[in-house]
């Protein structure tokens, strides 16, 4: 556990990220862990991301990490049903030094918004929304991603419930189905990273 804690804190977070985390706590929202944030930053840099779509803006914690990993001219399109959360994210992005044109905020349900986004127009899609809709997010992500692009799902361990036996809520059953679908897909190269609450990543062939 000591090594896990060391890894999670390996990339230090600045005051703006701490501020965004505090706003999330006050709103009763779960933020990605520092280790998950660092992984998102790395993944965005790995694909040299110019266009990223994010499902679940929250208060901007994951968005800041993604923007840090993206190209200097990259644009983050972030979708959330709660406009007031997006206002916190907007403030956090500005405080992190990102120009206003680096992020496009779209309020609304992900499954209403995603169909309006361009086919094969994205390098990375980060999914941190309603777990009951994760399979629909996957279908949309495959359409949105270019070949060689990445789809990433946060929270797939569901605090350990995904691997526990016994009856589980519907959202956990959906996550298990998501894991199986991605692992068995001929169209994807998958990996499950044990950071935060589980980060499921897959490259589109």
């Amino acid at each position: 556990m000591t090594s896990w804690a060391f890894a999670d804190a390996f990339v230090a977070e600045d005051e703006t990220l701490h501020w965004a985390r505090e706003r999330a706590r006050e709103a009763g929202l779960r933020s990605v862990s520092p280790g998950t944030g660092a992984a998102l930053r790395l993944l965005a840099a790995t694909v040299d991301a110019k266009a990223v779509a994010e499902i679940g803006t929250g208060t901007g914690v994951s968005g800041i990490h993604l923007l840090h990993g993206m190209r200097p001219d990259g644009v983050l399109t972030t979708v959330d049903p709660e406009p007031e959360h997006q206002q916190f994210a907007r403030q956090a992005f500005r405080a992190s030094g990102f120009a206003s044109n680096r992020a496009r905020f779209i309020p609304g349900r992900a499954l209403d918004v995603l169909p309006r986004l361009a086919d094969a127009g994205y390098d990375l899609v980060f999914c941190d929304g309603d777990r009951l809709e994760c399979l629909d997010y996957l279908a949309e992500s495959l359409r949105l991603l270019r070949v060689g692009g990445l789809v990433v799902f946060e929270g797939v361990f569901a605090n350990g419930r995904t691997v526990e036996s016994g009856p589980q809520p519907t959202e956990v059953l959906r996550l298990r189905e998501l894991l199986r679908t991605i692992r068995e897909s001929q169209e994807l190269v998958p990996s499950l990273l044990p950071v935060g609450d589980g980060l499921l990543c897959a490259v589109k062939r």
Side-chain angles (χ1 to χ4, degrees):
M1 289 305 289
T2 308
S3 53
W4 184 90
F6 177 74
D8 198 53
F10 182 67
V11 174
E13 293 194 328
D14 61 16
E15 281 180 28
T16 305
L17 274 162
H18 290 308
W19 179 87
R21 284 189 181 285
E22 193 53 42
R23 299 294 79 73
R25 260 194 299 275
E26 289 168 359
L29 298 174
R30 206 171 44 88
S31 297
V32 299
S33 74
T36 300
L40 291 174
R41 198 180 287 214
L42 175 80
L43 292 168
T46 300
V47 294
D48 194 28
K50 186 174 183 183
V52 172
E54 177 183 48
I55 299 169
T57 309
T59 56
V61 175
S62 50
I64 289 172
H65 281 291
L66 287 164
L67 283 163
H68 276 304
M70 293 168 68
R71 287 164 47 161
D73 59 343
V75 176
L76 173 70
T77 298
T78 183
V79 181
D80 199 285
E82 302 291 344
E84 60 270 27
H85 297 163
Q86 292 189 319
Q87 286 303 327
F88 286 129
R90 203 185 294 272
Q91 282 177 256
F93 291 177
R94 192 164 52 238
S96 289
F98 298 113
S100 59
N101 64 354
R102 293 289 313 276
R104 178 168 63 140
F105 293 91
I106 307 178
R109 279 186 69 247
L111 295 181
D112 295 333
V113 174
L114 296 176
R116 305 203 301 263
L117 303 183
D119 290 13
Y122 293 83
D123 305 299
L124 190 154
V125 179
F126 175 56
C127 305
D128 189 15
D130 185 343
R131 288 168 176 166
L132 292 173
E133 297 178 344
C134 61
L135 289 159
D136 299 305
Y137 297 161
L138 175 62
E140 284 294 331
S141 297
L142 291 176
R143 181 185 62 77
L144 293 174
L145 285 171
R146 64 166 170 83
V147 172
L150 262 169
V151 60
V152 182
F153 286 86
E154 206 281 319
V156 293
F157 291 162
N159 297 316
R161 289 176 303 168
T162 305
V163 293
E164 286 174 1
S165 57
Q168 294 294 345
T170 307
E171 68 171 37
V172 173
L173 303 180
R174 285 284 152 78
L175 288 172
R176 287 178 181 169
E177 199 176 339
L178 174 74
L179 286 157
R180 188 165 56 247
T181 301
I182 286 181
R183 189 175 57 207
E184 294 173 359
S185 171
Q186 299 302 303
E187 199 179 351
L188 296 166
V189 181
S191 181
L192 178 54
L193 306 182
V195 296
D197 195 23
L199 200 63
L200 176 61
C201 312
V203 177
K204 180 179 174 180
R205 289 186 188 275

